[in-house]
């Protein structure tokens, strides 16, 4: 405001004298609107002028003063657009996080029928499993052994510990870590999700493995599945397998399988073109 101080004084003097032109009033309005210092100076000058008029006993001048004083709208304090967008984005992240927590807490447990187990499956925070019993889970975390169960959709799932999975519905589960095999011949559309991919059954028996980094392996023992990964979709048929990780998708050419749904990829993989 230092550079415009002489101009501001001239404009205020013209207004107080009552001979300010429309152009001068417009310019004064701009200065006072855009600069806090100009507003303070204008208000101080008006107060001083009114006080001098009052002490001089010139009541008529005081009465006429309001008609000479230009009123200015107070500027609204607004945050920069970028700051407002960042604040909105932060709120969305918070709401999404809170929503995810509440969905996890309030998601109804999924009923399963325990078919059997091998070894001595131990589940964190869960009592021992017994064949033929019905249980309801939101999540299963095995530190050892294996577990086989049937969902209400008819899909049969083998879990090999250590493993951690969430049961989202009778037609969908999320594998956070470990290895599972699903026989979903009676549950067309049964889906297993990992951090990286979504595997949709098309009437088959297939296996999915995932680690904490999100790397995912899929193998089809019978039938066909659709694998959706990073906006792409590919179909795998019996005997085909793929590994998806940060370095891309690669075919798995050798798979070893055993009892109770046990399987694993052997060295030897080719890049999928």
């Amino acid at each position: 405001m230092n550079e415009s101080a002489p101009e501001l004084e001239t404009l205020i003097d013209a207004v107080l004298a009552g001979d300010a032109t429309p152009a001068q009033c417009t310019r004064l309005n701009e200065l006072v609107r855009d600069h806090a210092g100009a507003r303070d100076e204008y208000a101080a000058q008006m107060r001083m002028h009114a006080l001098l008029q009052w002490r001089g006993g010139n009541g008529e001048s005081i009465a006429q003063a309001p008609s000479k004083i230009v009123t200015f709208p107070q500027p609204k304090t607004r945050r920069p657009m970028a700051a407002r967008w960042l604040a909105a984005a932060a709120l969305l992240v918070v709401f999404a996080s809170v929503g995810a927590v509440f969905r996890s807490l309030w998601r109804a447990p999924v009923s399963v029928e325990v078919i059997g187990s091998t070894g001595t499956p131990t589940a964190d925070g869960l009592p021992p499993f017994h064949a033929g019993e019905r249980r309801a889970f939101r999540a299963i975390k095995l530190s050892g052994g294996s577990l086989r169960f049937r969902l209400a959709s008819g899909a049969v799932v083998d879990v090999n510990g250590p493993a951690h999975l969430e049961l989202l519905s009778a037609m969908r589960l999320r594998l956070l870590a470990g290895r599972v095999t699903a026989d979903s011949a009676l549950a067309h559309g049964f889906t297993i999700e990992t951090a990286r991919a979504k595997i949709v059954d098309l009437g088959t028996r297939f296996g999915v493995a995932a680690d904490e980094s999100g790397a995912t392996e899929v193998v089809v023992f019978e039938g066909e599945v659709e694998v959706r990964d990073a906006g792409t979709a590919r179909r795998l048929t019996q005997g085909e397998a793929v590994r998806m990780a940060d370095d891309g998708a690669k075919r798995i050419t050798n798979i070893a399988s055993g009892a109770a749904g046990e399987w694993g990829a052997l060295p030897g993989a080719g890049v999928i073109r």
Side-chain angles (χ1 to χ4, degrees), residues 50 52-66:
L52 290 174
Q53 293 284 5
W54 176 261
R55 288 181 176 177
N58 191 346
E60 181 182 358
S61 298
I62 295 176
Q64 294 176 351

Side-chain angles (χ1 to χ4, degrees), residues 66-89:
S67 65
K68 300 178 182 180
I69 297 175
V70 181
T71 58
F72 305 97
Q74 292 295 320
K76 296 181 179 180
T77 302
R78 302 184 65 184
R79 288 181 290 179
M81 183 64 71
R84 285 180 289 166
W85 276 112
L86 288 174

